[in-house]
């Protein structure tokens, strides 16, 4: 960047080619921005518009008949509230477990001069590239008695090889002298890990936390595959999928049934769905800008090393 | 003899010094053993007459069925469709969603000024963090034939007479799958290329500039060759993950009874037959075939890349 700025000022005037390319890039980027952002914006607009009114179409940039009913309806539904609760619990517990456990293993692996490192590495790589597939995995979870329990959300995701390799690459950058001087001061391994390594690894922890949390928050297949029998374990993402699938069928049939169903209110399942979608995306959009500087670094770290 | 004893002692001493680290690592390996290795061994159910009532050990003790379930899958009336969809969607995604992030990264790196550039970059990652469920919801409201913006505009502007049933007709499914994937992941996949481009020595550009190379020439002769390594590695990875890039979640969510002839892929079938209907051995066999094809693909991609550009994963 610096180079281009300098060049533009000192070295040479932009040529015709430069201008054409700059304009093309600018237009292209505007298109990317619009295509990426407009669908979200459209969803927000629909979520604030009366449901029945929205089915008439023609809403593009702002709500025609503004209402908060969709959100009220959403928040008055006990199953949605329960789903939010499960999703939050799953995300918080799952993320903490994943970050804590994965980083612990990674710290062990990154220890300089670790014996048998080669064999540990082989096992990690084999497990990264091979898997038994859905069925044997399901049968294993079943044998462990994890199916249809809350634990099936957080235990199997506790360790991730990908995050582990990322963390190993990060820990290797921490000078070993720190460890040695702490040992001389009489610190135990666990103390060193919790008092020195963890505080030094905030960018790494932030990256892994974001990935793990987003994964947990967005996952619906774990409910659908491993915990379908217990209604109280349903997550926001899973319920959302249910509603979206139902609406899709409605759309293909006709609006008549939907109109009839919503006879007593101005709310349709479609408009509530829009509100639900916004609520489901909100935490991600709120957290994302703060963690962005970390995860870009984190991804690059993984890319360079791995 | 003597030296050997000394080394052994030293190894032991070293181990004693770092035993906490080994415990950390073993806990991780124990986890992998339970959740990764055991399922790998569990692949034997594909070769067994497995009955869910026989429990976990039944996977290993059950009666041997040989290749019965594999043959059943190959002769399944759906086999051809499943294979065609899986391959077609994966290959189309490779063709479109592999080069686009490279292009995007180069364009982004060619942009002057930091403000707008950072906004574009930030926005382009965002969809990566949004779940397929939400993306599906957005797609449905966008392309719906009765009230979607897309069709409304097309009809209002007189481009088409009838709304296009993008979500409901099989013939649109491949396009829908590929473009939604590109929409979701293009910015994210560009990160690695951006990192590679950032690592290029600026003096290269300067000297090329002085030698009279234009903008496009600089991109073609400096930027692209400099990120060739990154491109090759990611291409190998992409080909290795080719079959899984058909994207199970997307296929399950965007698939419906109307477009099933194009949207159903092997993984979805495995799920429906296995967890849906309880035909565990049959589904495991189908899943195994998918893994074997993937494995062959990554090996061949690796070999080809080794020969062409001396880059390889292993």
């Amino acid at each position: 960047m610096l180079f281009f700025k300098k060049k533009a000022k000192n070295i040479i005037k932009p040529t015709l080619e430069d201008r054409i390319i700059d304009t093309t890039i600018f237009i292209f980027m505007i298109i990317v921005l619009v295509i990426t952002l407009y669908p979200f914006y459209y969803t927000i607009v629909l979520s604030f518009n009366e449901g029945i009114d929205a089915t008439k179409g023609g809403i593009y940039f702002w709500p025609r008949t503004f209402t908060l009913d969709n959100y009220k309806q959403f928040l008055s539904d006990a199953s949605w509230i329960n789903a939010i609760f499960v999703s939050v619990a799953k995300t918080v517990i799952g993320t903490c477990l994943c970050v804590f456990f994965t980083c612990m293993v990674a710290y062990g692996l990154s220890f300089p001069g670790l014996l048998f490192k080669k064999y540990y590495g082989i096992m990690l790589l084999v497990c990264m590239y091979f898997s038994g597939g859905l069925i044997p995995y399901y049968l294993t979870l079943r044998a462990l008695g994890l199916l249809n329990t809350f634990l099936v959300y957080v235990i199997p995701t506790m360790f991730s090889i990908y995050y582990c390799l990322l963390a190993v690459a990060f820990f290797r950058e921490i000078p070993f002298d720190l460890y040695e001087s702490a040992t001389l001061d009489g610190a135990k391994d666990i103390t060193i890990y919790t008092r020195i390594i963890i505080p030094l690894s905030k960018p790494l922890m932030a990256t892994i936390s974001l990935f793990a949390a987003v994964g947990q928050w967005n996952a619906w297949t774990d409910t659908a595959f491993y915990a379908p029998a217990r209604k109280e374990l349903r997550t926001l993402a899973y319920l959302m999928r249910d509603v979206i699938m139902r609406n899709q069928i409605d759309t293909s049939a006709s609006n008549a049934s939907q109109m009839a169903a919503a006879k007593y209110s101005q709310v349709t399942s479609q408009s509530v769905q829009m509100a639900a979608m916004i609520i489901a995306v909100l935490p991600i959009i709120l957290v994302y800008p703060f963690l962005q500087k970390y995860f870009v670094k984190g991804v690059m770290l993984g890319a360079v090393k791995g | 003899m003597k030296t050997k004893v000394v080394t052994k002692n030293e190894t032991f001493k070293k181990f004693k010094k770092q035993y906490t680290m080994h415990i950390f690592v073993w806990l991780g390996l124990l986890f992998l053993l339970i959740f990764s290795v055991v399922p790998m061994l569990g692949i034997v159910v594909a070769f067994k007459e497995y009955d869910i009532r026989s429990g976990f050990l039944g996977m290993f003790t059950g009666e041997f069925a040989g290749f019965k379930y594999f043959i059943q899958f190959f002769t399944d009336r759906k086999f051809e469709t499943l294979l065609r969809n899986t391959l077609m969607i994966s290959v189309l995604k490779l063709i479109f969603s592999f080069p686009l992030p490279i292009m995007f990264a180069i364009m982004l790196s060619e942009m002057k000024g930091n403000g707008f550039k950072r906004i574009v970059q930030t926005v382009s990652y965002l969809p990566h963090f949004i779940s397929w469920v939400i993306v599906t919801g957005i797609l449905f409201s966008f392309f719906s034939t009765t009230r979607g913006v897309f069709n409304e505009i097309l009809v209002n502007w007189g481009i088409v007479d009838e709304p296009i049933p993008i979500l409901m007709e099989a013939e649109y499914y491949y396009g829908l799958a590929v473009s939604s994937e590109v929409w979701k992941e293009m910015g994210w996949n560009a990160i690695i290329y951006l990192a590679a481009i950032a690592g290029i020595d600026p003096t290269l550009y300067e000297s090329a500039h002085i030698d009279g190379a234009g903008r496009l020439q600089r991109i073609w002769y400096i930027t692209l060759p400099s990120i060739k390594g990154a491109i090759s590695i990611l291409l190998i990875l992409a080909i290795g993950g080719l079959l899984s890039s058909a994207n199970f979640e997307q296929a399950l969510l965007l698939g419906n009874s109307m477009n099933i002839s194009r949207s159903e892929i092997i993984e979805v079938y495995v799920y429906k037959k296995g967890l849906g209907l309880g035909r565990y051995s049959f589904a495991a066999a189908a899943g195994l075939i998918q893994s074997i094809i993937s494995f062959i693909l990554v090996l061949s991609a690796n070999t080809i890349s080794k020969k062409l550009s001396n880059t390889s994963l292993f």
Side-chain angles (χ1 to χ4, degrees):
Chain A
M1 258 79 68
L2 207 88
F3 155 66
F4 281 122
K5 262 187 192 160
K6 200 172 120 201
K7 185 195 68 188
K9 271 181 201 158
N10 300 341
I11 303 179
I12 246 172
K13 275 181 264 172
T15 61
L16 180 66
E17 190 195 16
D18 280 334
R19 274 198 212 129
I20 294 174
I21 290 177
D22 287 339
T23 320
T24 317
I25 291 178
F26 185 75
I27 294 171
F28 179 81
M29 291 306 169
I30 294 281
I31 294 174
V32 168
L33 272 188
V34 171
I35 291 182
T36 312
L37 286 181
Y38 183 66
F40 292 109
Y41 180 71
Y42 179 64
T43 310
I44 295 176
V45 170
L46 280 189
S47 76
F48 283 113
N49 200 74
E50 271 184 2
I52 297 288
D53 181 56
T55 57
K56 290 177 203 145
I59 298 169
Y60 305 124
F61 294 109
W62 40 80
R64 191 167 42 213
T65 331
F66 182 85
T67 176
L68 290 174
D69 285 354
N70 301 322
Y71 288 92
K72 279 184 199 147
Q73 174 90 5
F74 173 84
L75 292 171
S76 67
D77 188 332
S79 60
W80 282 113
I81 299 303
N82 181 64
I84 291 180
F85 178 74
V86 177
S87 277
V88 170
K90 167 177 180 277
T91 305
V92 172
I93 298 173
T95 306
C96 291
L97 270 178
C98 176
V99 173
F100 175 78
F101 190 69
T102 304
C103 288
M104 196 181 79
V105 178
Y107 179 57
L109 279 170
S110 68
F111 193 80
L114 187 79
L115 293 164
F116 324 122
K117 195 157 80 187
K118 203 176 134 200
Y119 304 103
Y120 296 155
I122 290 174
M123 173 131 173
L124 237 58
L125 282 183
V126 167
C127 291
M128 190 151 122
Y129 284 108
F130 295 95
S131 81
L134 178 65
I135 301 301
Y137 187 67
Y138 173 83
L139 294 174
T140 309
L141 293 184
R142 185 174 180 271
L144 292 168
L146 287 174
L147 293 187
N148 293 312
T149 63
F150 180 76
L151 291 178
V152 82
Y153 292 146
V154 294
I155 301 277
T157 54
M158 215 163 79
F159 182 69
S160 149
I161 301 178
Y162 175 69
Y163 305 154
C164 181
L165 295 179
L166 212 99
V168 169
F170 187 92
F171 289 148
R172 288 232 175 97
E173 304 291 314
I174 297 178
F176 188 53
D177 305 348
L178 271 180
Y179 176 86
E180 282 191 324
S181 60
T183 321
L184 287 181
D185 290 344
K188 289 256 164 49
D189 286 325
I190 308 247
T191 325
I192 295 173
Y193 178 59
T194 52
R195 303 287 285 277
I196 297 178
I197 303 298
I198 291 183
L200 277 175
S201 312
K202 274 183 201 143
L204 171 84
M205 304 275 176
T207 309
I208 301 183
S209 305
L210 176 73
F211 289 166
V214 168
Q216 282 283 4
W217 182 257
N218 282 341
W220 61 276
T221 48
D222 50 1
T223 314
F225 296 177
Y226 313 128
R230 301 248 320 259
K231 273 207 164 111
E232 66 274 23
L233 284 182
R234 294 194 172 159
T235 57
L236 188 57
Y238 180 84
L239 280 191
M240 191 92 65
R241 172 243 182 192
D242 247 18
V243 171
I244 289 172
M245 299 316 249
R246 230 181 298 131
N247 275 336
Q248 183 196 8
I249 311 252
D250 284 351
T251 313
S252 67
S254 76
N255 283 326
S257 58
Q258 213 182 23
M259 301 274 222
K263 198 161 56 180
Y264 302 109
S265 71
Q266 293 294 310
V267 173
T268 64
S269 58
Q270 172 98 17
S271 59
V272 176
Q273 179 198 318
M274 295 297 147
M277 275 160 61
I278 295 302
I279 287 179
V281 170
L282 211 59
I284 293 175
I285 292 187
L286 289 183
V287 173
Y288 165 80
F290 299 103
L291 292 173
Q292 195 203 354
K293 59 176 178 188
Y294 294 126
F295 75 68
V296 172
K297 242 183 255 160
V299 173
M300 288 178 182
L301 191 71
V304 174
K305 301 278 170 179
Chain B
M1 191 66 201
K2 207 181 168 191
T3 42
K4 212 177 183 181
V5 175
V6 172
T7 10
K8 240 187 197 168
N9 262 337
E10 270 178 1
T11 310
F12 184 70
K13 252 192 201 158
K14 216 174 160 190
F15 183 78
K16 219 174 144 188
K17 207 179 136 198
Q18 42 178 247
Y19 80 96
T20 327
M21 302 301 145
H22 286 275
I23 293 175
F24 286 173
V25 176
W26 289 342
L27 287 173
L29 296 187
L30 181 71
F31 181 94
L32 289 180
L33 194 72
I34 298 172
F35 290 99
S36 218
V37 176
V38 169
M40 272 187 245
L41 299 176
I43 292 177
V44 292
V45 293
F47 301 94
K48 301 266 182 175
E49 297 288 356
Y50 179 70
D51 183 348
I52 191 89
R53 277 165 301 184
S54 62
F56 181 68
L57 287 175
M59 290 206 287
F60 304 99
T61 55
E63 198 188 321
F64 195 61
F67 287 98
K68 179 177 153 195
Y69 290 106
F70 291 86
I71 295 164
Q72 238 179 57
F73 179 59
F74 283 130
T75 52
D76 193 294
R77 72 191 160 80
K78 274 201 164 169
F79 175 71
E80 216 176 296
T81 319
L82 291 172
L83 190 68
R84 190 194 64 214
N85 288 342
T86 310
L87 283 175
M88 278 301 284
I89 294 172
S90 316
V91 171
L92 285 173
K93 276 188 184 170
L94 188 69
I95 293 172
F96 290 99
S97 73
F98 188 76
L100 273 170
I102 303 177
M103 230 181 77
F104 180 65
I106 291 177
M107 286 177 125
L108 213 53
S109 71
E110 289 287 325
M111 270 172 89
K112 290 164 191 159
N114 265 329
F116 185 56
K117 185 174 170 173
R118 192 166 299 156
I119 293 174
V120 175
Q121 216 171 334
T122 307
V123 166
S124 75
Y125 304 149
L126 184 64
H128 171 79
F129 293 97
I130 308 297
S131 70
W132 270 112
V133 176
I134 304 287
V135 173
T136 312
I138 292 177
L139 288 171
F140 285 164
S141 69
F142 228 71
F143 292 116
S144 153
T145 44
T146 48
R147 53 173 172 267
V149 182
F150 180 76
N151 277 314
E152 254 178 50
I153 290 177
L154 287 188
V155 173
N156 286 350
W157 289 3
I159 299 171
V160 292
D161 298 327
E162 286 283 301
I164 309 170
I166 292 178
L167 302 162
M168 298 296 150
E169 288 272 329
E171 59 174 310
Y172 298 113
Y173 183 77
Y174 291 165
L176 179 70
V178 173
S179 45
S180 55
E181 172 91 14
V182 168
W183 181 83
K184 196 171 181 298
E185 305 294 346
M186 185 179 76
W188 182 254
N189 292 337
I191 291 187
I192 290 174
Y193 300 113
L194 279 170
I197 293 174
I200 300 174
D201 182 0
T203 54
L204 281 176
Y205 288 101
E206 258 167 63
S207 50
H209 201 162
I210 290 164
D211 287 346
R215 197 79 169 272
L216 283 177
Q217 279 174 317
R218 272 174 275 155
I219 293 172
W220 187 254
Y221 291 110
I222 297 173
T223 313
L224 273 177
S226 307
I227 59 172
K228 208 174 87 182
I231 295 179
S232 317
I233 295 226
L234 289 172
L235 189 62
I236 302 173
L237 286 173
I239 293 177
L242 191 66
L243 293 193
S244 52
S245 77
N247 198 330
F248 179 58
E249 240 188 281
Q250 186 195 36
L252 209 55
L253 288 163
L254 288 179
N256 53 48
S257 51
M258 268 80 76
N259 63 19
I260 192 165
S261 63
R262 291 284 179 90
S263 65
E264 200 170 35
I265 57 174
I266 298 178
E267 275 177 289
V268 171
Y269 196 63
V270 167
Y271 162 63
K272 282 183 188 163
K273 294 290 161 183
L275 301 193
L277 299 176
R279 294 181 59 195
Y280 296 100
S281 292
F282 175 73
L288 183 56
I289 287 170
Q290 158 140 351
S291 312
I292 291 172
I293 303 176
S294 295
F295 186 61
I296 294 172
L297 282 172
V298 76
L299 276 187
S300 10
N302 198 47
T303 319
I304 294 170
S305 158
K306 218 181 209 166
K307 281 208 173 120
L308 289 182
S309 68
N310 252 332
T311 330
S312 65
L313 281 179
F314 34 81

